[in-house]
Amino acid sequence: MSDGDVRFGPVLNADTTVFSLWAPDAKAVAVAIEGQASTPLRRDDDGYWTDAAQAHAGDRYRFDVDGRQVPDPASRFQPQDVNGPSELIDPRAYAWRQPDWTGRTWESTVFYELHVGLCGGFDGVRARLSGLAELGITAIQLMPIADFAGDRNWGYDGVLPFAPATAYGRPDDLRALVDEAHGHGLMVFLDVVYNHFGPEGNWLPSYAPSFFDEAKHTPWGAAIDFHKPAVRRFFIENALYWLEDFRIDGLRLDAVHQILDRSWLVELAAEVRRRIPHRHAHLVVENENNDAGLLTQGFDAQWNDDFHNVLHVLLTGETQAYYRDFADHPADRLARCLAEGFIYQGEPSPNHDGRPRGQPSAGLKPTAFVSFLQNHDQVGNRALGERLTTMAAPQALRAAMTLLLLCPQIPMLFMGEEVGAREPFLFFTDFHGDLAKAVREGRRKEFAGQPGFSDAADRARIPDPNALATFEASRWTADAPDAAEWRALVKQLLALRRTRIVPGLSDCKALGARVLDDKAVLARWRLGDGSVLTLVVNLGAAPAEAGLPESAPLFGDHPGKAAPPFTTLAWIEP
């Protein structure tokens, strides 16, 4: 980011550093640099306290706000965890080895979601890049890395949005990861959380309570007040910081339905497009509201939970919790998903007490949807963190994987999925004392009404999120007996996607889908060159009469008139 655009975080100059803090309710603010006398800051009419002090890269500091010392809310690094001093980082010190990288097109995206901590930090992720590129992945998506309390966390408890988690490495270690990924032709996306702060280490309410709106609440407490210009600017600067200072290729915005001022999202997208015209910068949302309008206002796509949910029902038969929205006529719902993107486009949702959910999406491109069979939520928010490999018939799961990777929607794999990993992905944190107890008990209470966890003894089997063993149990390996078979399948499918499907995705249009039987669907799309892609998926145990094309399939053996059990077939015809 250029120095003139920064209102949050330190700006390093040759001899001094300009410090700034938004604390409109404070009476006095100073910057306390270790080893120096405090420097008082001056308040402007908008509530920003600013001034220059003698400080250089490597120096550590805190803000003194009315006698209380706090870290910089826009700290670039926290060497002693979130409650310690902030460290000055020179963003210009790293020498980029891929300075001419301009990114990749959205249509070429194949996501691989991963947790940096489980991979061994930023350097551990770097070690995996060549294997992911060789597989056919084109983008890694990092679960949130904003600094959080302790050494272990999913990342959604971050409290310092500008500071890469100290547990994962230093800021230049992240730059080196991005740089090397670009050398392998891989994009790097970052999951960012702009809807709440974590429960430990967030000092903002103590000196800037107007950052929050106590009259409006989210599942995590008082809503962030995006009506405030300073709040809007804080998060816009954060997005630009990752995209510019770290050369991140795209952002995934977590749970934007809990950002109660939708206009800020549109403003953010417009600012990103204005500031980064010279390379690809992609924006993706997670949005329970299925807000199709956002996907025409600067955002490339939405995570399509509907795709996962209906396929989960078809693969496992589970219909509890939010899966009840997809329990009836799941094949019809899958057909709508393949043809139109969202399944819920304004219909009443049983899981939302009958309230309408979603907007019409048939006019959107297939690439406006990021689809997946598993992700951190859908695995880790299960009580025992089971993966689909432990719940679904192997042949059916392979058929679903084929559908995912050959469908024109943008596909995403969850770490370990490419080798059929069977290890769980559990919910883990590193809290202590009363907060640790509250998280542990809250986690077990969450599942009290679900099958298998009706009494306290059953719920005691749910792993303690704060135990180191819970984190370690979530590490995956390629030791499954069929790991090589899984990897070969994924590699074959991604090669077909890259050579035969991606070139036609920019002008791809859905031609509709029809149900063959209660677990089988045929869907068709016209690609940009005028050819037609046909996918037939049968997740049932019996053949499905389909009226299949007579030509040889792009993938699979021609079955005759009926689609065999547990299979997905693909054709591309003129």
Side-chain angles (χ1 to χ4, degrees):
M1 296 177 63
S2 64
D3 294 350
D5 298 315
V6 175
R7 295 303 308 263
F8 294 92
V11 176
L12 280 69
N13 300 312
D15 299 316
T16 62
T17 295
V18 176
F19 294 90
S20 181
L21 179 73
W22 188 68
D25 301 315
K27 295 181 174 60
V29 176
V31 60
I33 302 164
E34 290 187 351
Q36 298 183 30
S38 295
T39 300
L41 303 184
R42 294 175 292 181
R43 187 189 190 280
D44 68 12
D45 293 340
D46 297 321
Y48 291 92
W49 298 76
T50 307
D51 213 335
Q54 293 289 329
H56 306 87
D59 288 345
R60 298 179 181 181
Y61 68 99
R62 290 182 170 93
F63 287 116
D64 188 307
V65 185
D66 294 335
R68 177 190 292 115
Q69 291 205 343
V70 299
D72 187 344
S75 168
R76 274 39 176 175
F77 188 55
Q78 292 292 119
Q80 297 174 15
D81 210 353
V82 294
N83 293 312
S86 305
E87 180 178 324
L88 290 177
I89 300 294
D90 185 353
R92 298 156 295 197
Y94 181 83
W96 291 92
R97 293 175 296 155
Q98 308 294 332
D100 299 325
W101 170 264
T102 58
R104 300 183 64 125
T105 64
W106 175 246
E107 290 79 15
S108 70
T109 305
V110 176
F111 281 114
Y112 185 90
E113 187 190 24
L114 61 86
H115 184 275
V116 174
L118 288 174
C119 292
F122 298 131
D123 287 346
V125 177
R126 286 177 63 189
R128 298 172 186 264
L129 295 176
S130 60
L132 293 173
E134 189 269 340
L135 184 66
I137 299 297
T138 65
I140 59 170
Q141 180 171 297
L142 312 181
M143 288 177 64
I145 61 171
D147 213 359
F148 48 80
D151 293 330
R152 305 178 301 277
N153 200 283
W154 271 18
Y156 300 92
D157 291 317
V159 292
L160 294 171
F162 291 79
T166 308
Y168 301 158
R170 294 184 61 83
D172 278 358
D173 296 326
L174 174 58
R175 289 185 173 92
L177 163 59
V178 175
D179 206 5
E180 187 158 334
H182 292 168
H184 287 288
L186 291 165
M187 295 184 286
V188 180
F189 281 66
L190 181 60
D191 194 339
V192 291
V193 182
Y194 295 157
N195 52 65
H196 75 286
F197 290 86
E200 181 178 338
N202 174 25
W203 291 90
L204 277 166
S206 70
Y207 61 83
S210 53
F211 203 95
F212 304 89
D213 185 348
E214 290 291 345
K216 298 177 181 177
H217 283 259
T218 74
W220 308 284
I224 296 172
D225 191 354
F226 280 91
H227 291 98
K228 298 283 196 313
V231 175
R232 297 169 83 92
R233 190 64 204 168
F234 181 85
F235 289 108
I236 284 177
E237 283 192 22
N238 183 261
L240 294 172
Y241 166 74
W242 295 118
L243 294 169
E244 295 180 340
D245 285 22
F246 289 86
R247 305 193 182 186
I248 295 288
D249 298 279
L251 304 175
R252 179 263 190 189
L253 278 66
D254 177 67
V256 301
H257 51 277
Q258 296 294 350
I259 295 175
L260 304 183
D261 186 344
R262 184 181 180 278
S263 72
W264 176 81
L265 293 167
V266 178
E267 179 184 341
L268 168 66
E271 183 74 356
V272 168
R273 303 306 177 200
R274 183 183 71 82
R275 285 283 295 269
I276 310 178
H278 54 285
R279 62 183 174 91
H280 296 287
H282 305 299
L283 297 174
V284 181
V285 292
E286 178 195 28
N287 191 349
E288 179 69 19
N289 293 334
N290 280 3
D291 184 347
L294 278 179
L295 306 183
T296 64
Q297 294 179 284
F299 290 90
D300 293 277
Q302 176 180 314
W303 269 27
N304 194 4
D305 283 338
D306 287 359
F307 182 97
H308 162 270
N309 292 344
V310 70
L311 279 165
H312 188 94
V313 170
L314 286 164
L315 288 168
T316 69
E318 290 186 344
T319 57
Q320 73 272 21
Y322 49 81
Y323 294 125
R324 61 180 173 156
D325 278 3
F326 306 86
D328 61 311
H329 307 292
D332 295 84
R333 296 183 184 276
L334 176 59
R336 188 180 207 194
C337 182
L338 295 176
E340 301 180 15
F342 295 142
I343 294 174
Y344 276 86
Q345 301 181 31
E347 293 78 14
S349 162
N351 191 52
H352 293 78
D353 299 323
R355 297 190 303 275
R357 172 175 172 255
Q359 297 173 352
S361 60
L364 298 173
K365 292 182 178 181
T367 52
F369 307 93
V370 175
S371 298
F372 42 85
L373 299 176
Q374 302 180 89
N375 63 26
H376 72 272
D377 274 331
Q378 309 299 352
V379 180
N381 282 334
R382 300 180 64 83
L384 303 179
E386 307 99 318
R387 293 175 180 258
L388 280 174
T389 44
T390 67
M391 296 184 286
Q395 308 98 310
L397 186 54
R398 289 186 177 89
M401 177 67 76
T402 303
L403 174 66
L404 171 70
L405 297 185
L406 296 184
C407 174
Q409 297 180 16
I410 300 297
M412 184 175 75
L413 298 175
F414 182 58
M415 56 185 184
E417 200 170 2
E418 78 283 8
V419 291
R422 302 180 68 83
E423 294 86 355
F425 176 68
L426 300 164
F427 178 67
F428 50 79
T429 55
D430 187 20
F431 297 133
H432 302 277
D434 291 343
L435 179 56
K437 180 180 178 182
V439 170
R440 179 173 57 252
E441 293 180 352
R443 178 73 175 169
R444 291 172 178 173
K445 183 179 179 181
E446 179 183 348
F447 295 98
Q450 294 195 14
F453 300 99
S454 57
D455 60 52
D458 291 328
R459 294 192 293 278
R461 296 186 295 115
I462 299 174
D464 179 359
N466 300 288
L468 177 60
T470 302
F471 173 80
E472 295 295 341
S474 299
R475 296 188 189 274
W476 81 97
T477 68
D479 293 340
D482 55 355
E485 182 180 347
W486 269 107
R487 186 174 178 87
L489 174 64
V490 169
K491 185 175 181 179
Q492 178 188 8
L493 292 170
L494 290 181
L496 286 173
R497 181 180 187 87
R498 180 178 64 253
T499 59
R500 302 298 304 276
I501 297 173
V502 167
L505 285 186
S506 61
D507 294 313
C508 179
K509 294 180 174 59
L511 297 177
R514 58 186 175 90
V515 173
L516 304 179
D517 67 19
D518 59 356
K519 287 196 172 185
V521 170
L522 182 151
R524 299 167 71 240
W525 298 264
R526 187 174 302 282
L527 300 177
D529 63 0
S531 62
V532 174
L533 168 67
T534 300
L535 295 179
V536 177
V537 56
N538 181 10
L539 300 179
E545 294 296 327
L548 302 176
E550 295 183 0
S551 60
L554 173 70
F555 181 83
D557 298 322
H558 201 292
K561 294 183 178 180
F566 304 127
T567 190
T568 293
L569 303 167
W571 284 263
I572 292 182
E573 299 181 300

